[in-house]
């Protein structure tokens, strides 16, 4: 089923979303050496020093075949302290550089991402296992946020308020915040950092980045490209952007260090629960983008062709490994049988395999623990009366250490057990509903509150879902799935999804500190609220 068969498509946007990516179809999936060689040449083309990935202590494997493709150098505890110190030093200079000149660094970085889009997309595919088209989309998302941030660098404006006192003026000034710690997950190794980095840089902040230890290579490449852009401009202090590779303890050190003004962390709710008290203990700023257990409702009036395309992409795309992936589906009883039958047929047609092959739609899970968690969730679903279709391991020909699975559809008699939790895998729980209010209540019953969707052509239903009595998520969509947000909006969710907002709209305000200024340009000193203090 084609994702693109919309009539009268608009021409491709100026964002070059259509750049072709040549497939490396020649790579035998079972041959880790081939993937390793591909990685070496990509890293060299992207300007990453060999010492960073050739003989380090952290084995990096590709989920395509489970083979090791690089040995990344890990950061020590001393490196963490030094990185924070350098970023803090750099902040003293960078905060004074005019914001549009800071924007020029981000403009040149965006251009570097554009030039290297194909290499970066290949690296993302090798490291995460997501299909090339989605990897190219991820690079595009990083390019888009750079474009957004460049414009923003001339729009970091505050309000001016009417003062109650004669010859007084009140206004807000937005200042840089300080060192921003950025913690990212394996599934979006480039774009999520770029959301934070591009905005933080134009805001006048400096960066310390701890990527997932499963995807350090994309991070090394992004950091190398940014550093090459930094070196072109004398305004840019050398310590502006720091990269730390290693385990969760590094993130905890960032959270505990008073020199780090803001920590923006993307990952599981458990990760957020571990970090948040450390940050709260020192009143640090935090942006938490945590798990999602995203739902969609398909109403009787829904355009089923469109809904099925959206649902299949959102649930099975990226092998269910987006924080925005669709995990719960509520089908109205009048369309339940038709919709489920068509969904089964769509699932049967999904090509599962090597994500470097342009025919593939579903790549592997990131690793064995992810596969085991998926199997556990399916076993629990059965115990709760769920009827499981799919979910089994497949493509053994691609390597014993690679974990390809058939996306699972699970009919549930009620919302219980694993359906109430996020499992980072392609499992779609399906339930029947009769009444929209009940479906919305089930939809909102889970702890997470990230992304949601309703499929309906009924204006009343759509508006109800969007209203204060509707979805309780940070992302609420009509007639598109919950995943695949554009960068122009603020991205994030409520409840256990963390409450943070990143990327577009006015999310930049979280990366700056607001000063309220009152200026007296008169000769008298009237006090506010009519207070008298004459002596
Ligand atoms: C994530 O999975 O952490 O909306 C980010 C989306 C993407 C970003 C996902 N633009 O699916």
């Amino acid at each position: 089923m084609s994702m693109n068969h919309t009539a009268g498509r608009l021409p491709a946007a100026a964002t070059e979303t259509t750049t072709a990516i040549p497939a490396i179809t020649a790579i035998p999936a079972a041959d880790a050496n081939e993937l390793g060689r591909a990685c070496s040449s990509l890293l060299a083309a992207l300007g990453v020093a060999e010492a960073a990935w050739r003989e380090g202590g952290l084995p990096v494997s590709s989920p395509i075949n489970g083979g090791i493709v690089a040995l990344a150098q890990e950061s020590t505890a001393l490196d963490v302290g030094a990185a924070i110190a350098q970023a803090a030093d750099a902040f003293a200079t960078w905060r004074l550089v005019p914001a549009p000149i800071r924007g020029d660094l981000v403009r040149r970085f965006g251009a570097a991402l554009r030039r290297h889009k194909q290499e970066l997309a290949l690296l993302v595919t090798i490291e995460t296992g997501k299909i090339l088209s989605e990897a190219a989309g991820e690079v595009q998302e990083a390019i888009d946020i750079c474009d957004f941030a460049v414009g923003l660098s001339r729009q970091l404006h505050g309000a001016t308020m009417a003062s109650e006192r004669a010859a007084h003026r009140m206004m807000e000034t937005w200042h840089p915040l300080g060192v921003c710690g950025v913690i990212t997950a394996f599934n979006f190794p480039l774009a999520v950092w770029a959301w934070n980095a591009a905005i933080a840089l134009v805001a006048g902040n400096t960066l310390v980045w701890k990527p997932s230890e499963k995807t350090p290579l994309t991070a090394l490449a992004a950091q190398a490209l940014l550093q090459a852009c930094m070196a072109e401009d004398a305004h840019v202090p050398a310590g502006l952007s720091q990269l730390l590779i290693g385990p969760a303890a590094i993130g905890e050190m960032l959270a505990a260090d008073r020199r780090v003004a803001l920590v923006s962390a993307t990952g599981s709710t458990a990760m957020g629960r571990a970090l948040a008290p450390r940050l709260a203990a020192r009143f640090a700023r935090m942006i938490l983008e945590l798990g999602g257990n995203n739902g969609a409702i398909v109403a009787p009036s829904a355009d089923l062709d469109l809904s099925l395309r959206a649902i299949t992409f959102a649930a099975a795309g990226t092998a269910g490994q987006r924080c925005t992936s669709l995990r719960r589906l509520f089908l109205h009883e009048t369309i339940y049988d038709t919709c489920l039958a068509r969904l089964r047929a769509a699932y049967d047609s999904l090509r599962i395999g090597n994500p470097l092959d342009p025919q593939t739609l579903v790549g592997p899970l990131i690793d064995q623990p992810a596969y085991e968690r998926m199997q556990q969730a399916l076993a629990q679903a059965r115990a709760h009366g769920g009827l499981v279709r799919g979910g089994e391991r497949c493509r053994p020909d691609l390597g014993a250490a690679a974990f390809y699975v058939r996306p699972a559809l699970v009919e549930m008699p009620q919302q219980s057990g694993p359906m109430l939790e996020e499992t980072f895998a392609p499992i779609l729980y399906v339930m029947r509903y009769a009444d929209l209010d009940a479906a919305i209540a089930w939809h909102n019953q889970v702890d997470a509150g990230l992304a949601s969707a309703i499929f309906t052509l009924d204006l009343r239903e759509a508006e109800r879902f969007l209203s204060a009595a509707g979805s309780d998520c940070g992302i609420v969509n009509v007639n598109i799935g919950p995943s695949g947000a554009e960068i122009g909006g603020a991205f994030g969710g409520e409840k256990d999804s963390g409450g943070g907002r990143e990327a577009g709209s006015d999310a930049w305000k979280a990366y700056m500190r607001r000063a309220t200024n009152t200026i007296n340009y008169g000769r008298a000193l009237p006090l506010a609220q009519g207070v008298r203090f004459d002596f």
Side-chain angles (χ1 to χ4, degrees):
M1 186 180 297
S2 164
M3 292 294 299
N4 289 331
H5 80 246
T6 41
R9 285 180 68 202
L10 295 170
T15 47
E16 298 164 26
T17 47
T18 51
T19 310
I21 306 279
I24 315 185
T25 39
I27 290 182
D31 185 348
N33 290 337
E34 281 271 8
L35 281 179
R37 274 195 289 278
C39 261
S40 311
S41 54
L42 290 168
L43 290 166
L46 291 160
V48 183
E50 277 201 20
W53 54 271
R54 212 183 261 294
E55 279 164 18
L58 177 69
V60 184
S61 52
S62 170
I64 294 177
N65 58 17
I68 290 171
V69 291
L71 294 168
Q73 190 139 52
E74 282 189 286
S75 308
T76 63
L78 276 180
D79 294 335
V80 178
I84 296 172
Q86 284 179 45
D89 275 0
F91 177 64
T93 317
W94 187 241
R95 65 184 170 175
L96 299 176
V97 174
I101 295 179
R102 300 195 296 246
D104 188 60
L105 170 66
V106 175
R107 183 185 61 74
R108 287 181 291 105
F109 179 56
L113 293 175
R114 277 192 163 87
R115 277 197 306 279
H116 293 287
K117 183 172 175 181
Q118 299 189 12
E119 289 108 323
L120 285 165
L122 285 165
L123 194 57
V124 167
T125 289
I126 292 174
E127 216 175 19
T128 65
K130 69 172 71 171
I131 61 170
L132 261 183
S133 173
E134 290 195 56
E138 165 156 16
V139 183
Q140 188 60 48
E141 195 165 346
I143 294 168
D144 293 343
I145 196 71
C146 289
D147 288 353
F148 180 92
V150 176
L152 185 65
S153 72
R154 292 180 187 268
Q155 299 177 77
L156 301 167
H157 48 237
T160 305
M161 284 74 72
S163 171
E164 67 193 48
R165 287 171 281 187
H168 279 57
R169 189 163 69 83
M170 287 174 69
M171 64 178 189
E172 288 177 339
T173 314
W174 291 89
H175 294 296
L177 197 58
V179 177
C180 291
V182 182
I183 298 173
T184 54
F186 79 85
N187 65 330
F188 273 83
L190 179 67
V192 171
W193 167 76
W195 294 347
N196 287 281
I199 303 292
L201 287 176
V202 298
N205 301 319
T206 57
L207 299 165
V208 181
W209 179 14
K210 185 234 160 308
S212 162
E213 57 269 51
K214 291 174 189 163
T215 53
L217 304 181
T218 306
L220 285 165
Q223 170 77 346
L225 290 178
L226 178 57
Q227 278 185 327
C229 297
M230 285 163 52
E232 291 165 3
D233 183 350
H235 290 102
V236 182
L240 186 77
S241 175
Q242 305 287 324
L243 176 63
L244 294 167
I245 300 211
I250 294 177
E252 284 158 18
M253 289 172 78
L254 292 178
D257 197 307
R258 292 194 75 85
R259 293 170 296 179
V260 180
L262 162 75
V263 170
S264 176
T266 300
S268 66
T269 295
M271 182 274 297
R273 268 211 183 90
L275 284 183
R278 288 168 209 259
L279 291 160
R282 61 181 183 89
F283 302 106
R285 292 271 190 96
M286 56 184 119
I287 299 175
L288 299 178
E289 203 259 278
L290 310 176
N293 187 1
N294 314 301
I297 294 173
V298 185
S301 66
D303 173 337
L304 282 193
D305 289 346
L306 177 151
S307 309
L308 283 158
R309 288 207 304 280
I311 291 163
T312 308
F313 170 64
T318 336
Q321 297 174 113
R322 288 192 191 218
C323 58
T324 50
S325 289
L326 179 62
R327 312 203 180 281
R328 299 177 299 134
L329 183 64
F330 302 99
L331 300 177
H332 191 264
E333 57 188 8
T334 53
I335 47 108
Y336 186 91
D337 291 333
T338 322
C339 202
L340 194 62
R342 292 188 59 185
L343 203 51
R344 284 186 182 139
Y347 267 51
D348 285 346
S349 75
L350 292 174
R351 291 176 298 275
I352 303 162
N354 185 342
L356 291 166
D357 178 344
Q359 298 305 311
T360 297
L361 291 178
V362 181
L365 291 174
I366 187 72
D367 55 17
Q368 182 162 6
Y371 169 73
E372 282 162 5
R373 282 191 292 269
M374 178 180 183
Q375 298 311 308
Q376 264 164 26
L378 292 175
Q380 286 166 10
R382 284 191 188 95
H384 282 260
L387 199 64
V388 178
R389 189 170 186 276
E392 70 279 11
R393 200 164 165 193
C394 61
R395 301 303 308 262
D397 54 311
L398 297 182
F403 292 86
Y404 292 82
V405 289
R406 199 160 286 291
L409 283 171
V410 184
E411 282 186 88
M412 291 292 282
Q414 73 285 315
Q415 182 163 250
S416 65
M419 189 173 173
L420 294 166
E421 283 151 30
E422 176 187 53
T423 301
F424 223 56
I427 303 176
L428 181 60
Y429 300 104
V430 187
M431 266 179 69
R432 184 188 298 267
Y433 81 91
D435 168 59
L436 182 62
D437 284 342
I440 292 175
W442 291 336
H443 175 275
N444 292 348
Q445 194 194 339
V446 296
D447 292 333
L450 183 57
S452 57
I454 190 166
F455 294 89
T456 180
L457 299 181
D458 180 330
L459 179 71
R460 290 180 183 145
E461 289 184 333
E463 289 290 339
R464 180 147 185 77
F465 193 68
L466 297 172
S467 78
S471 162
D472 62 0
C473 291
I475 295 167
V476 189
N477 295 339
V478 177
N479 292 335
I480 68 164
S483 67
E486 303 176 18
I487 57 91
F491 183 94
E494 302 300 332
K495 305 193 293 185
D496 279 12
S497 298
R501 292 295 184 276
E502 296 168 296
S505 184
D506 65 350
W508 62 271
K509 289 181 175 171
Y511 298 80
M512 300 196 83
R513 67 181 170 87
R514 178 198 320 235
T516 300
N517 313 126
T518 306
I519 299 141
N520 177 1
Y521 59 92
R523 292 177 196 281
L525 189 73
L527 299 178
Q529 297 94 36
V531 171
R532 302 209 63 92
F533 198 80
D534 298 328
F535 52 89

